[in-house]
PDB file of all heavy atoms in Angstrom:
ATOM      1  N   ILE A  11     -10.109  82.518  74.110  1.00  0.00           N
ATOM      2  CA  ILE A  11      -8.773  81.924  74.137  1.00  0.00           C
ATOM      3  C   ILE A  11      -7.724  82.813  74.810  1.00  0.00           C
ATOM      4  O   ILE A  11      -6.619  82.360  75.076  1.00  0.00           O
ATOM      5  CB  ILE A  11      -8.292  81.528  72.723  1.00  0.00           C
ATOM      6  CG1 ILE A  11      -8.192  82.760  71.819  1.00  0.00           C
ATOM      7  CG2 ILE A  11      -9.187  80.476  72.123  1.00  0.00           C
ATOM      8  CD1 ILE A  11      -7.513  82.487  70.502  1.00  0.00           C
ATOM      9  N   GLY A  19      -3.264  66.327  81.353  1.00  0.00           N
ATOM     10  CA  GLY A  19      -3.502  65.106  80.596  1.00  0.00           C
ATOM     11  C   GLY A  19      -2.662  63.975  81.142  1.00  0.00           C
ATOM     12  O   GLY A  19      -1.610  64.189  81.734  1.00  0.00           O
ATOM     13  N   PHE A  23       0.600  53.847  80.071  1.00  0.00           N
ATOM     14  CA  PHE A  23       1.481  53.091  79.195  1.00  0.00           C
ATOM     15  C   PHE A  23       1.138  51.602  79.117  1.00  0.00           C
ATOM     16  O   PHE A  23       1.751  50.875  78.359  1.00  0.00           O
ATOM     17  CB  PHE A  23       2.939  53.228  79.640  1.00  0.00           C
ATOM     18  CG  PHE A  23       3.534  54.579  79.397  1.00  0.00           C
ATOM     19  CD1 PHE A  23       4.548  55.041  80.214  1.00  0.00           C
ATOM     20  CD2 PHE A  23       3.105  55.393  78.363  1.00  0.00           C
ATOM     21  CE1 PHE A  23       5.136  56.277  80.003  1.00  0.00           C
ATOM     22  CE2 PHE A  23       3.681  56.641  78.136  1.00  0.00           C
ATOM     23  CZ  PHE A  23       4.695  57.070  78.958  1.00  0.00           C
ATOM     24  N   SER A  27       0.339  50.725  73.143  1.00  0.00           N
ATOM     25  CA  SER A  27       0.241  51.517  71.919  1.00  0.00           C
ATOM     26  C   SER A  27       1.608  51.655  71.250  1.00  0.00           C
ATOM     27  O   SER A  27       2.647  51.704  71.906  1.00  0.00           O
ATOM     28  CB  SER A  27      -0.313  52.908  72.245  1.00  0.00           C
ATOM     29  OG  SER A  27      -0.115  53.787  71.174  1.00  0.00           O
ATOM     30  N   GLU A  42      14.961  65.772  69.556  1.00  0.00           N
ATOM     31  CA  GLU A  42      15.439  67.156  69.557  1.00  0.00           C
ATOM     32  C   GLU A  42      14.302  68.071  69.995  1.00  0.00           C
ATOM     33  O   GLU A  42      13.326  68.249  69.265  1.00  0.00           O
ATOM     34  CB  GLU A  42      15.950  67.540  68.177  1.00  0.00           C
ATOM     35  CG  GLU A  42      17.238  66.817  67.833  1.00  0.00           C
ATOM     36  CD  GLU A  42      17.905  67.398  66.608  1.00  0.00           C
ATOM     37  OE1 GLU A  42      17.682  68.577  66.298  1.00  0.00           O
ATOM     38  OE2 GLU A  42      18.643  66.650  65.966  1.00  0.00           O
ATOM     39  N   VAL A  47      13.501  74.331  76.249  1.00  0.00           N
ATOM     40  CA  VAL A  47      13.055  73.260  77.136  1.00  0.00           C
ATOM     41  C   VAL A  47      14.097  73.050  78.230  1.00  0.00           C
ATOM     42  O   VAL A  47      15.290  73.016  77.966  1.00  0.00           O
ATOM     43  CB  VAL A  47      12.841  71.949  76.353  1.00  0.00           C
ATOM     44  CG1 VAL A  47      12.705  70.760  77.284  1.00  0.00           C
ATOM     45  CG2 VAL A  47      11.633  72.049  75.456  1.00  0.00           C
ATOM     46  N   ILE A  50      14.042  68.134  83.521  1.00  0.00           N
ATOM     47  CA  ILE A  50      13.943  68.009  84.973  1.00  0.00           C
ATOM     48  C   ILE A  50      15.012  67.016  85.406  1.00  0.00           C
ATOM     49  O   ILE A  50      14.920  65.829  85.109  1.00  0.00           O
ATOM     50  CB  ILE A  50      12.546  67.524  85.407  1.00  0.00           C
ATOM     51  CG1 ILE A  50      11.470  68.485  84.907  1.00  0.00           C
ATOM     52  CG2 ILE A  50      12.479  67.383  86.919  1.00  0.00           C
ATOM     53  CD1 ILE A  50      10.056  67.970  85.057  1.00  0.00           C
ATOM     54  N   TRP A  54      14.676  63.656  92.883  1.00  0.00           N
ATOM     55  CA  TRP A  54      13.419  62.929  93.101  1.00  0.00           C
ATOM     56  C   TRP A  54      12.865  62.372  91.792  1.00  0.00           C
ATOM     57  O   TRP A  54      12.091  61.422  91.801  1.00  0.00           O
ATOM     58  CB  TRP A  54      12.380  63.802  93.813  1.00  0.00           C
ATOM     59  CG  TRP A  54      11.941  65.026  93.058  1.00  0.00           C
ATOM     60  CD1 TRP A  54      12.496  66.273  93.138  1.00  0.00           C
ATOM     61  CD2 TRP A  54      10.888  65.124  92.108  1.00  0.00           C
ATOM     62  NE1 TRP A  54      11.842  67.130  92.297  1.00  0.00           N
ATOM     63  CE2 TRP A  54      10.843  66.457  91.659  1.00  0.00           C
ATOM     64  CE3 TRP A  54       9.957  64.226  91.597  1.00  0.00           C
ATOM     65  CZ2 TRP A  54       9.928  66.912  90.719  1.00  0.00           C
ATOM     66  CZ3 TRP A  54       9.034  64.673  90.663  1.00  0.00           C
ATOM     67  CH2 TRP A  54       9.027  66.003  90.238  1.00  0.00           C
ATOM     68  N   GLY A  59      13.813  56.880  88.188  1.00  0.00           N
ATOM     69  CA  GLY A  59      13.876  56.484  86.785  1.00  0.00           C
ATOM     70  C   GLY A  59      12.868  57.226  85.925  1.00  0.00           C
ATOM     71  O   GLY A  59      12.549  56.786  84.825  1.00  0.00           O
ATOM     72  N   SER A  61      11.411  60.816  83.945  1.00  0.00           N
ATOM     73  CA  SER A  61      11.999  61.864  83.120  1.00  0.00           C
ATOM     74  C   SER A  61      10.946  62.922  82.847  1.00  0.00           C
ATOM     75  O   SER A  61       9.744  62.677  82.989  1.00  0.00           O
ATOM     76  CB  SER A  61      12.524  61.287  81.802  1.00  0.00           C
ATOM     77  OG  SER A  61      11.474  60.673  81.084  1.00  0.00           O
ATOM     78  N   GLY A  62      11.408  64.094  82.436  1.00  0.00           N
ATOM     79  CA  GLY A  62      10.461  65.151  82.124  1.00  0.00           C
ATOM     80  C   GLY A  62      11.140  66.459  81.801  1.00  0.00           C
ATOM     81  O   GLY A  62      12.363  66.570  81.827  1.00  0.00           O
ATOM     82  N   ASN A  67       6.495  79.208  76.754  1.00  0.00           N
ATOM     83  CA  ASN A  67       6.350  79.559  75.342  1.00  0.00           C
ATOM     84  C   ASN A  67       5.271  80.643  75.226  1.00  0.00           C
ATOM     85  O   ASN A  67       4.086  80.335  75.316  1.00  0.00           O
ATOM     86  CB  ASN A  67       5.969  78.313  74.540  1.00  0.00           C
ATOM     87  CG  ASN A  67       5.924  78.570  73.054  1.00  0.00           C
ATOM     88  OD1 ASN A  67       6.264  79.649  72.582  1.00  0.00           O
ATOM     89  ND2 ASN A  67       5.479  77.574  72.325  1.00  0.00           N
ATOM     90  N   PHE A  82       2.401  62.304  82.019  1.00  0.00           N
ATOM     91  CA  PHE A  82       1.553  63.405  82.472  1.00  0.00           C
ATOM     92  C   PHE A  82       1.977  64.669  81.751  1.00  0.00           C
ATOM     93  O   PHE A  82       3.176  64.926  81.583  1.00  0.00           O
ATOM     94  CB  PHE A  82       1.718  63.637  83.977  1.00  0.00           C
ATOM     95  CG  PHE A  82       1.288  62.483  84.825  1.00  0.00           C
ATOM     96  CD1 PHE A  82       2.184  61.487  85.178  1.00  0.00           C
ATOM     97  CD2 PHE A  82      -0.014  62.391  85.282  1.00  0.00           C
ATOM     98  CE1 PHE A  82       1.802  60.417  85.965  1.00  0.00           C
ATOM     99  CE2 PHE A  82      -0.414  61.327  86.073  1.00  0.00           C
ATOM    100  CZ  PHE A  82       0.492  60.335  86.427  1.00  0.00           C
ATOM    101  N   SER A  83       1.012  65.474  81.351  1.00  0.00           N
ATOM    102  CA  SER A  83       1.319  66.773  80.764  1.00  0.00           C
ATOM    103  C   SER A  83       0.366  67.803  81.357  1.00  0.00           C
ATOM    104  O   SER A  83      -0.785  67.499  81.666  1.00  0.00           O
ATOM    105  CB  SER A  83       1.183  66.737  79.242  1.00  0.00           C
ATOM    106  OG  SER A  83      -0.142  66.437  78.880  1.00  0.00           O
ATOM    107  N   LEU A  86      -0.508  75.767  81.429  1.00  0.00           N
ATOM    108  CA  LEU A  86      -1.166  76.953  81.971  1.00  0.00           C
ATOM    109  C   LEU A  86      -1.050  78.034  80.916  1.00  0.00           C
ATOM    110  O   LEU A  86       0.058  78.385  80.511  1.00  0.00           O
ATOM    111  CB  LEU A  86      -0.495  77.410  83.268  1.00  0.00           C
ATOM    112  CG  LEU A  86      -0.448  76.397  84.404  1.00  0.00           C
ATOM    113  CD1 LEU A  86       0.421  76.910  85.546  1.00  0.00           C
ATOM    114  CD2 LEU A  86      -1.853  76.086  84.889  1.00  0.00           C
ATOM    115  N   ASN A  99       3.877  71.560  89.035  1.00  0.00           N
ATOM    116  CA  ASN A  99       3.159  71.370  90.301  1.00  0.00           C
ATOM    117  C   ASN A  99       1.733  70.867  90.083  1.00  0.00           C
ATOM    118  O   ASN A  99       1.194  70.145  90.922  1.00  0.00           O
ATOM    119  CB  ASN A  99       3.169  72.654  91.119  1.00  0.00           C
ATOM    120  CG  ASN A  99       4.527  72.907  91.744  1.00  0.00           C
ATOM    121  OD1 ASN A  99       5.310  71.990  91.957  1.00  0.00           O
ATOM    122  ND2 ASN A  99       4.826  74.164  91.998  1.00  0.00           N
ATOM    123  N   LEU A 102       2.258  67.209  89.755  1.00  0.00           N
ATOM    124  CA  LEU A 102       2.599  66.620  91.041  1.00  0.00           C
ATOM    125  C   LEU A 102       1.387  66.514  91.945  1.00  0.00           C
ATOM    126  O   LEU A 102       1.244  65.541  92.687  1.00  0.00           O
ATOM    127  CB  LEU A 102       3.719  67.404  91.716  1.00  0.00           C
ATOM    128  CG  LEU A 102       5.049  67.372  90.954  1.00  0.00           C
ATOM    129  CD1 LEU A 102       6.089  68.233  91.675  1.00  0.00           C
ATOM    130  CD2 LEU A 102       5.539  65.956  90.766  1.00  0.00           C
ATOM    131  N   ALA A 104      -1.631  65.993  90.924  1.00  0.00           N
ATOM    132  CA  ALA A 104      -2.417  64.871  90.409  1.00  0.00           C
ATOM    133  C   ALA A 104      -1.773  63.529  90.770  1.00  0.00           C
ATOM    134  O   ALA A 104      -2.473  62.573  91.115  1.00  0.00           O
ATOM    135  CB  ALA A 104      -2.561  64.978  88.878  1.00  0.00           C
TER     136      ALA A 104
END
Side-chain angles (χ1 to χ4, degrees):
I11 62 170
F23 289 152
S27 166
E42 290 192 25
V47 166
I50 302 169
W54 63 269
S61 59
N67 185 5
F82 297 90
S83 62
L86 302 172
N99 286 336
L102 296 178

